Amino acid sequence: MANSKIMIVDDDPDLRQALRLRLRANNYDTVNAVDGYSAIALAYKEHPDMIILDLGLPAGDGFVVLDRLQKDDKLSTIPVIVLTARDPQSSERRALQAGAAAFFQKPADNAELLEVIRATLPKAATETVLPS
Amino acid sequence: MSDQATRVLLIEDNPGDADLVRLRLVEGKSPVDVNCVNRLSDGLESLKESSPSVILLDLNLPDSQGAETFRKVLQKAPNVPVVILSGQDDEALAIKALHQGVQDYLVKGAFSSSSLDRAMRYAVERQALLRSLEMSRKQQLEFKNQFLSHVSHELRTPLTCIHQFVSILYDGLAGEVSPEQRDHLKTILKSVNQLGAMVRDLLEASRAESGKIRIEPRCLAISDLVRQAVAMMQPAAREKEVGLEVGVDTRIPLVHGDPGRILEVLINLIENGIKFTPSGGAVTVQASLVPTDPDFVYISVTDTGCGITPEARALVFERLYQDPNAIDNNRKGLGLGLFIAKELVTLHGGRMWVASELGNGSNFSFTLPLYSLAKLLFPVITSQSRLRDDIVLVKVGLSPLSKSARAGWKDTCQRCLEVLQRCVYLDKDLVLPAMTTGGAEETFLVVASTDLKRANIMMTRIREQLGKVSDLGDTGTLEVTALVVPLPDRAADLSLDQQVQEVAGAVTNMVRSVLGEKQGFTEQN
C-alpha cells in the first residue's frame, strides 16, 4: 500500500521538521512549502492527499491559500487541516467556513491530530494498491 | 459669521430670560453665534442637525422639568459641554447634575457677562480634556488587549517547537531513551503544557475583562459533561492518589449552555480540587436540583483539601489571586483560572461561589439555567390569551453520507441551523436548540403554529433553502417530516398555563421519541 502524501505548509523551519518527523514515523510521506505562493505551486506539482496549513504565512496567508484551493477544480478536493498559533475564537469558524476540514491550535495534541488525519484522509488514497 | 465664534444653543422658554442671556453673551469678550429654542424637543431636534460649541440649558421647560431635562440633553449630546442656567439656587440638584456630566450650574441673575463668558470657555476646555482622557483610556485598554493577543500568539510558536521536539524524543522517534531520560522528558512536557495553559488564560482573562468572550449556548445534558470532565481529569487524580467521584442525578433536565465553556469551568474546578487535596483525599463532583430555585441546576466540586481562610474566600475569584498558604508544593498558576471560570458562568446567567473552612476542604458551586421548553413555547403556542388551533412539530434530519464524517460536518450542520432559523416565522414558530448528540447525525426540530397543510409549504421552503447550503449535497442527506401535536381537551376546564404545560409535555414526549430517548430530556413543571 502506498503511503499517503501530506503537504506541510509552515514558514517556521523547526516546526516543519518536527511535523515531518512525526508524520514519517506514522508512515506518511511529506512535502514542504514555506509560503502561500509556493504552497499552491507545489500542490499542483505534487498532488498531495492532504494539506496541513499554517495561517500566518508570507506571500499569501493561510486564508488566501484556502480560498485559492477551494476555487481550483483540481485542488478543491484535497482536505486541509489548519494548524496555527492563532486563537480559535478569532480564526476557527472562519477557517472552517473557508473550507478547512479541521482546526487545531498549536501546540496540538499529537494523538488527536493523527486521529483526525486518519479520519480525514480520502479513502481512495489510503486504499491505493502499489503498482506491481 | 466668523469661524471662531462660539456656537451657543440656548434652550430657554422665558423670553425675558432669553433676551437677558443674549445681552450678556453679546457683551462678552468673544464673538458668539446664538441659536435660541424654547422647548426641549426643539433643542434635541437641532442637536440632530448640528453640534454647538456649548449648550446653555434652562431646566424648567414646557416639555421637561428638572433633572430629566439635563439627562435627556446629555444622552443626546454626550460630547457637547452643558451649562445649566437655572432659576433655582439648588445645591443638591447642581451637584447631581455635575455628577452626571453637566459642566457648570449658574443661577440666573447672579452672573455677569464676563463670568458667563468664562464659564462657557472653561466648560468647553474641561469637556475637551475629559474626552481626550476617555479616549486615551479606551486606547490603552485596546492596546493592552492587542498586546496580550500578540504576545500569546508569538509565545505559541517557540512553545510548540519545544513541545513537538520533546515529544519526538519522549516517543522514541529519534532513537531509544533510557527510563530516567523518559522521566525527565515527561517533566519537561508537563511544564510546557502548563506554560501553554497560562498563555491561553492570559488571553482569556483580557477578553473577559473587555467583555469579548463569546458563548454559543445549546441544549445539553449536564451529566454527560460532568462525566466527560471527570474522565479527562481521572489520570491526574490517579497520579496524585486522590479519589475523583461523581454524584449526578440523571433526572436533571437539559441545561441551556455552551458545552465547551462549561467543560472548561468543570475542568478548572476539578483541577484546583485535586491540586489542593493531599494524597488519600477525594474530590467529588455533584449536580442536583434545588427546590427553592427551580430554573437552575446546581453543580458543585467538593474536595477534602486544605480549605480556604475567610479572608481568602473573598479574594479567590479576583484576578491574579494565588493562595499564599497553599500546602501543595505544586507550582502556582497565573491566578486567572477562577476569575475566568466565574466570568464564564456569569455569561451563562448563572452564579459561582465558594464555601470552605480552613483545614476542612472547599466546596465550589455554580448554577446554570435549565432549558425550559414551556417557557420558550408559551409565546409560540398561545395567541390572544388562548391556545392556538393547530401545532405541528417539524423534524429536519441531517445525516452524513460516510460514517466517519469529515470534521467540517459539524460546521455544515451549524450553517443549516442558521438557514433554518430564517425559514420560520419568528413570532409563530420556534426552532428548538440543537441537541448534543454523540453521533454524527443531527436533528433539528421546529414547533410551528400551523396546520398540516401549511406545514407542507414550510417543509418545501426548508428543503429548498437547505438544498442551497453548500457541502450538504456532497456530504450528507436531508430528511424533513412533520407530526401533528395533540392539543388538550377544550372541554376540560384548564387554565392557559395548564394548557401550555400540557402541550409542552406532549412536545417533549414527541421530541424524546424522535430523538430516540435522549438522556436527560425531561421537562419540569
Side-chain angles (χ1 to χ4, degrees):
Chain A
M1 213 164 87
N3 289 342
S4 297
K5 192 195 292 178
I6 300 180
M7 182 165 98
I8 300 165
V9 190
D10 201 310
D11 58 334
D12 187 296
D14 297 333
L15 292 185
R16 282 201 306 273
Q17 196 202 351
L19 195 53
R20 198 183 72 223
L21 287 171
R22 178 64 62 182
L23 291 175
R24 294 225 164 144
N26 286 275
N27 299 318
Y28 295 113
D29 291 339
T30 61
V31 286
N32 286 341
V34 299
D35 60 44
Y37 178 79
S38 60
I40 299 291
L42 201 66
Y44 262 108
K45 189 169 157 246
E46 295 280 346
H47 302 292
D49 298 304
M50 171 182 280
I51 297 171
I52 296 183
L53 179 68
D54 185 17
L55 288 180
L57 291 169
D61 78 357
F63 288 113
V64 175
V65 175
L66 269 174
D67 191 52
R68 293 275 306 272
L69 290 172
Q70 286 295 307
K71 285 188 179 143
D72 192 307
D73 288 344
K74 287 204 179 66
L75 306 179
S76 64
T77 54
I78 304 174
V80 179
I81 292 179
V82 166
L83 178 61
T84 179
R86 287 193 197 170
D87 179 58
Q89 182 168 313
S90 58
S91 305
E92 180 166 10
R93 176 161 291 223
R94 192 175 158 210
L96 294 177
Q97 271 164 359
F103 180 99
F104 281 92
Q105 190 182 22
K106 292 173 181 173
D109 180 77
N110 285 310
E112 213 180 308
L113 179 64
L114 287 166
E115 179 54 41
V116 170
I117 290 175
R118 253 191 299 279
T120 312
L121 268 173
K123 284 281 171 300
T126 50
E127 283 159 15
T128 306
V129 179
L130 266 178
S132 49
Chain B
M1 202 57 53
S2 111
D3 280 344
Q4 282 87 41
T6 309
R7 283 165 292 114
V8 178
L9 172 62
L10 174 61
I11 308 179
E12 168 67 80
D13 64 325
N14 183 321
D17 287 348
D19 283 349
L20 198 64
V21 172
R22 256 184 221 277
L23 186 65
R24 291 275 179 268
L25 286 171
V26 172
E27 284 169 0
K29 276 187 215 147
S30 37
V32 287
D33 171 11
V34 187
N35 171 23
C36 183
V37 296
N38 48 26
R39 297 174 68 87
L40 180 64
S41 56
D42 295 341
L44 298 179
E45 194 60 35
S46 109
L47 284 169
K48 267 191 207 160
E49 282 150 26
S50 67
S51 174
S53 322
V54 62
I55 299 169
L56 299 182
L57 182 67
D58 180 23
L59 291 185
N60 293 330
L61 298 166
D63 52 346
S64 178
Q65 307 286 314
E68 197 51 35
T69 310
F70 63 75
R71 224 174 275 133
K72 281 181 184 153
V73 170
L74 290 170
Q75 199 187 1
K76 192 84 187 176
N79 295 321
V80 181
V82 176
V83 174
I84 290 174
L85 303 181
S86 173
Q88 293 156 298
D89 189 353
D90 182 343
E91 188 64 6
L93 184 64
I95 294 293
K96 188 174 166 188
L98 293 188
H99 277 222
Q100 297 200 10
V102 165
Q103 284 296 348
D104 213 337
Y105 186 102
L106 304 179
V107 179
K108 283 179 194 169
F111 54 83
S112 65
S113 302
S114 67
S115 60
L116 177 61
D117 187 47
R118 207 173 268 140
M120 275 184 359
R121 276 188 288 125
Y122 294 172
V124 170
E125 290 304 316
R126 276 197 303 267
Q127 186 82 18
L129 203 62
L130 268 180
R131 239 189 118 182
S132 84
L133 275 175
E134 176 60 16
M135 271 174 58
S136 91
R137 195 189 67 86
K138 274 193 186 144
Q139 274 170 358
Q140 273 173 16
L141 197 66
E142 186 56 28
F143 174 77
K144 194 185 82 178
N145 283 343
Q146 274 177 8
F147 173 76
L148 283 173
S149 158
H150 177 79
V151 165
S152 60
H153 174 239
E154 291 305 321
L155 287 176
R156 273 186 187 278
T157 302
L159 197 70
T160 304
C161 201
I162 301 170
H163 180 268
Q164 286 300 320
F165 280 100
V166 174
S167 62
I168 281 167
L169 294 176
Y170 180 81
D171 292 340
L173 302 186
E176 224 173 287
V177 281
S178 72
E180 195 192 345
Q181 287 168 336
R182 252 177 87 89
D183 258 7
H184 297 334
L185 289 171
K186 196 177 177 184
T187 309
I188 303 178
L189 269 182
K190 208 172 110 188
S191 297
V192 170
N193 287 336
Q194 279 177 354
L195 210 53
M198 288 183 192
V199 167
R200 188 200 56 217
D201 284 358
L202 214 55
L203 188 61
E204 283 279 276
S206 112
R207 272 212 188 107
E209 208 183 4
S210 49
K212 280 187 180 158
I213 291 189
R214 272 201 315 247
I215 59 165
E216 290 172 20
R218 48 190 292 164
C219 209
L220 53 92
I222 193 71
S223 53
D224 289 353
L225 279 180
V226 169
R227 265 189 281 274
Q228 203 180 333
V230 166
M232 287 168 79
M233 295 313 295
Q234 206 60 262
R238 223 172 285 140
E239 193 174 334
K240 211 185 157 187
E241 290 171 9
V242 168
L244 183 50
E245 286 140 30
V246 189
V248 178
D249 185 347
T250 48
R251 289 165 308 171
I252 291 174
L254 290 177
V255 163
H256 199 51
D258 183 326
R261 297 305 201 172
I262 296 171
L263 194 63
E264 239 178 86
V265 173
L266 283 166
I267 285 177
N268 179 287
L269 295 183
I270 297 172
E271 209 168 26
N272 272 347
I274 295 172
K275 191 169 167 183
F276 292 106
T277 302
S279 296
V283 174
T284 311
V285 189
Q286 283 169 305
S288 57
L289 296 173
V290 172
T292 50
D293 193 7
D295 295 332
F296 290 86
V297 60
Y298 280 60
I299 301 148
S300 69
V301 177
T302 313
D303 63 54
T304 58
C306 50
I308 307 170
T309 61
E311 304 83 64
R313 273 207 298 278
L315 297 171
V316 285
F317 295 111
E318 297 284 313
R319 261 170 305 161
L320 304 179
Y321 177 78
Q322 291 166 320
D323 188 350
N325 304 316
I327 297 165
D328 196 275
N329 46 16
N330 240 335
R331 199 162 301 155
K332 288 172 185 166
L334 282 177
L336 293 173
L338 284 174
F339 168 72
I340 296 170
K342 189 171 183 176
E343 286 293 318
L344 287 175
V345 168
T346 309
L347 275 175
H348 278 88
R351 300 179 293 124
M352 183 181 265
W353 67 97
V354 60
S356 178
E357 224 177 285
L358 197 60
N360 271 332
S362 310
N363 176 311
F364 284 86
S365 302
F366 64 101
T367 62
L368 288 171
L370 288 176
Y371 169 71
S372 163
L373 192 58
K375 215 188 280 170
L376 287 173
L377 277 179
F378 194 88
V380 173
I381 61 179
T382 58
S383 166
Q384 291 168 351
S385 308
R386 53 179 286 254
L387 215 56
R388 288 184 195 266
D389 289 332
D390 294 288
I391 297 160
V392 165
L393 184 70
V394 178
K395 175 192 165 195
V396 180
L398 304 167
S399 23
L401 284 179
S402 70
K403 262 203 173 142
S404 60
R406 274 177 56 151
W409 172 252
K410 218 176 111 190
D411 204 54
T412 305
C413 292
Q414 180 59 32
R415 256 177 292 162
C416 286
L417 179 60
E418 282 159 20
V419 172
L420 188 60
Q421 301 275 15
R422 295 198 295 269
C423 290
V424 303
Y425 293 107
L426 275 181
D427 56 333
K428 288 175 71 185
D429 311 322
L430 172 71
V431 180
L432 298 181
M435 312 287 161
T436 43
T437 58
E441 274 176 39
E442 189 77 68
T443 305
F444 299 122
L445 295 158
V446 184
V447 179
S449 44
T450 174
D451 57 27
L452 207 49
K453 209 162 89 194
R454 274 177 300 166
N456 275 319
I457 300 172
M458 176 195 250
M459 284 154 65
T460 308
R461 187 166 66 226
I462 290 173
R463 282 195 203 97
E464 263 175 27
Q465 292 300 316
L466 289 188
K468 289 183 196 159
V469 174
S470 62
D471 285 7
L472 183 62
D474 301 333
T475 54
T477 54
L478 170 71
E479 191 204 339
V480 189
T481 51
L483 299 156
V484 179
V485 178
L487 294 180
D489 186 2
R490 280 191 191 284
D493 198 14
L494 295 175
S495 71
L496 184 62
D497 271 339
Q498 287 168 322
Q499 291 179 29
V500 171
Q501 284 295 348
E502 220 169 284
V503 174
V507 171
T508 306
N509 285 335
M510 291 167 75
V511 168
R512 195 182 287 138
S513 72
V514 163
L515 292 177
E517 276 303 323
K518 278 281 156 291
Q519 194 186 28
F521 197 95
T522 53
E523 183 62 18
Q524 307 171 269
N525 285 317

